[in-house]
Amino acid sequence: MASADVAEDVPKGRVEDEEEDEDHEEDAQEEDDQEGDGMDEDDDEDDEEGRGALAAGKKDDKAKKKGVVKDKRGGEKQKADHQSASARAGLTLPVHRIAKQLKRGGYTKRLAIGGSIYLTAVIEYITAEILELAGNSAKDQKKNRIIPRHIQLAIRSDEELNKYMSNVTISGGGVIPQIHSELLPRKVPGKDDDKDMTAPMSQEY
């Protein structure tokens, strides 16, 4: 009887041990599963963060590229389209400044751009004519620099410019070398006076 009880007790202990081992294995599997789930969640979060960073980097690169392209195209268009009024009219003097002075002068309530361009063209033409004549006068005197004296000679030697600027006084220009005919000595007719061609002039009171 005793041996039978021992025999019965042994299987029961083994069964209990096996059940405990199974419980431990199940607990270990659950812990492994939980850890695996946590690791998977961390991996998923890392993957999502990495993907978000890559997407943000790609967007930034695209935005930068687009911005650079837009800036280049805009700059080229601005350079190509932007031209001053002087450049469009083919003038050297600034149209904008002359228009500004005309508006500041209060000559009229309204001022068209055509009037400013016309006046600028007239001033540029007169300036070019004076400088051309003054340059020729400087070359005649073998000078490389135009001085007020050359401008004075250029203006007074030209009939139209002299009439146009008759009331203008040029500082440092000097005067034109000219002697009035009445101030010249008179010639006295006679054979005896061939040597002395001049005679004193009398003054009448």
Side-chain angles (χ1 to χ4, degrees):
M1 292 294 292
S3 60
D5 293 333
V6 171
E8 289 177 359
D9 292 336
V10 170
K12 287 180 182 179
R14 288 179 181 176
V15 171
E16 289 176 357
D17 293 335
E18 289 177 359
E19 289 178 355
E20 289 179 358
D21 293 336
E22 288 178 357
D23 293 336
H24 286 301
E25 289 177 359
E26 289 177 357
D27 294 336
Q29 286 179 358
E30 289 178 358
E31 291 178 357
D32 293 337
D33 292 337
Q34 291 177 357
E35 291 179 356
D37 294 337
M39 294 294 291
D40 292 338
E41 290 177 358
D42 294 336
D43 293 337
D44 293 337
E45 290 177 358
D46 294 336
D47 293 338
E48 289 178 358
E49 290 178 358
R51 290 174 184 173
L54 290 172
K58 289 180 180 179
K59 288 180 180 180
D60 293 336
D61 294 337
K62 288 181 180 179
K64 288 179 181 178
K65 289 180 180 178
K66 287 181 180 179
V68 170
V69 172
K70 287 182 179 179
D71 291 340
K72 286 183 178 178
R73 291 178 181 175
E76 290 176 358
K77 287 182 179 179
Q78 288 179 358
K79 289 181 181 178
D81 296 339
H82 179 68
Q83 285 186 352
S84 62
S86 300
R88 283 178 288 176
L91 299 173
T92 304
L93 298 181
V95 175
H96 177 70
R97 291 186 181 182
I98 293 176
K100 187 177 180 180
Q101 295 298 325
L102 287 173
K103 290 179 182 179
R104 186 178 295 178
Y107 302 106
T108 181
K109 293 181 180 179
R110 300 179 65 185
L111 178 66
I113 188 65
S116 303
I117 293 173
Y118 197 97
L119 182 59
T120 305
V122 171
I123 294 172
E124 184 173 336
Y125 171 74
I126 294 172
T127 304
E129 287 290 328
I130 294 172
L131 289 176
E132 183 180 359
L133 295 174
N136 295 335
S137 179
K139 284 183 180 179
D140 294 339
Q141 296 181 7
K142 297 181 181 180
K143 302 292 183 180
N144 295 325
R145 182 180 298 173
I146 296 175
I147 59 176
R149 175 64 177 173
H150 300 151
I151 298 174
Q152 175 77 346
L153 294 174
I155 292 173
R156 303 309 170 193
S157 62
D158 189 82
E159 183 180 356
E160 293 179 353
L161 288 176
N162 187 24
K163 184 178 179 180
Y164 175 68
M165 304 180 72
S166 60
N167 297 324
V168 175
T169 302
I170 297 174
S171 177
V175 295
I176 301 299
Q178 182 180 3
I179 300 174
H180 200 275
S181 60
E182 293 182 357
L183 298 176
L184 293 174
R186 295 180 180 177
K187 293 181 180 181
V188 178
K191 295 181 180 180
D192 297 334
D193 298 333
D194 290 338
K195 295 180 181 180
D196 297 329
M197 299 298 294
T198 61
M201 298 177 61
S202 63
Q203 297 179 354
E204 297 179 358
Y205 296 97

